[in-house]
Amino acid sequence: MAAMNLARLIAAAADTIAAHAEELTALDQAIGDGDHGLNMKRGFEAVRAEAEAFSAKPLPDALKAIGTKLVMTVGGASGPLFGTLFLALGKEISAVPDRTNLTAAFGKAIEAVAARGKSQIGQKTMLDVLQPVHDALTGGKTAPEIADFADAAAEATVPMKALRGRASFLGDRSIGHMDAGARSTALLVRTIVETLEGQP
Ligand code: ADP
Ligand code: MG
């Protein structure tokens, strides 16, 4: 991935998070503490501020720098988890990844998030989008299909009962609302695949 493309990806991701910050906050207000939109916006604006420096680095180093920045700036439970995702991705990915390497690296990154969060699929968290997206990548799905998979996976958290994170404190009352971190993950997945698709 060329350096310029990474800068474009960062800008697109930060734009998406900014455009959806209120929606993410509202989701987190329903079954959490209502800070997810602000947390994500703060983190992605901090990454945007250093987009030029980050995208001058080789891709693995750039992803690690993004992960570190997210850990430092997002806060909450999601900061260390999104940070871990990018840090682990940076450790596993090649400088010029093909789909096989990207899929493998993404799989390892999801394992790192699950280990960090002591969480697994089905607990109404960001993992409930990350894992289906990985499955779609493994299954050879196209970029638009992957984006749709991510949206459907976020939607599928609505009937789930939260077993991790703040929403789990609500027990059965967490049922009937979409998980905020699942939604932000789906938004990022769509933005990334659509930005990559649009590139020459
Ligand atoms: P906080 O819960 O500390 O207020 P945020 O609101 O920023 O942090 O993030 C909440 C999101 O983080 C949840 O919607 C969920 O997707 C994700 N999350 C929380 N705890 C875990 C966990 N243990 N494993 C995976 N994801 C988690
Ligand atoms: Mg919160």
Side-chain angles (χ1 to χ4, degrees), residues 54-74:
F54 288 170
S55 43
K57 295 174 187 286
L59 184 61
D61 295 341
L63 291 171
K64 285 183 221 162
I66 290 170
T68 304
K69 184 58 78 179
L70 291 176
V71 170
M72 291 187 324
T73 55
V74 174

Side-chain angles (χ1 to χ4, degrees), residues 106 110 121 125-134 149-155 157 181-183 185-187 189:
F106 187 51
I110 294 169
I121 192 156
T125 71
M126 60 177 74
L127 282 176
D128 291 306
V129 172
L130 290 171
Q131 191 59 54
V133 166
H134 184 256
F149 252 70
D151 286 342
E155 202 63 53
T157 66
R183 175 64 176 147
T185 303
L187 285 167
V189 168

Side-chain angles (χ1 to χ4, degrees), residues 2-162:
M4 201 181 75
N5 298 359
L6 184 62
R8 195 168 354 163
L9 267 177
I10 290 171
D15 284 347
T16 296
I17 293 298
H20 292 268
E22 283 178 27
E23 178 196 342
L24 294 173
T25 288
L27 290 174
D28 194 34
Q29 258 159 4
I31 51 172
D33 57 354
D35 62 353
H36 189 60
L38 207 61
N39 287 348
M40 293 295 279
K41 193 172 166 196
R42 186 172 55 242
F44 279 83
E45 290 307 329
V47 173
R48 190 208 293 273
E50 299 199 36
E52 209 177 313
F54 288 170
S55 43
K57 295 174 187 286
L59 184 61
D61 295 341
L63 291 171
K64 285 183 221 162
I66 290 170
T68 304
K69 184 58 78 179
L70 291 176
V71 170
M72 291 187 324
T73 55
V74 174
S78 61
L81 295 168
F82 278 115
T84 295
L85 182 74
F86 283 91
L87 277 164
L89 204 52
K91 276 190 201 130
E92 301 289 338
I93 211 160
S94 322
V96 186
D98 58 12
R99 185 167 170 138
T100 306
N101 170 249
L102 173 69
T103 305
F106 187 51
K108 293 274 186 200
I110 294 169
E111 282 174 25
V113 172
R116 176 94 205 209
K118 299 186 174 59
S119 42
Q120 60 187 51
I121 192 156
Q123 297 181 325
K124 197 177 180 107
T125 71
M126 60 177 74
L127 282 176
D128 291 306
V129 172
L130 290 171
Q131 191 59 54
V133 166
H134 184 256
D135 294 345
L137 268 170
T138 310
K141 301 288 182 197
T142 64
E145 286 170 336
I146 291 170
D148 289 346
F149 252 70
D151 286 342
E155 202 63 53
T157 66
V158 173
M160 289 182 188
K161 175 174 165 176

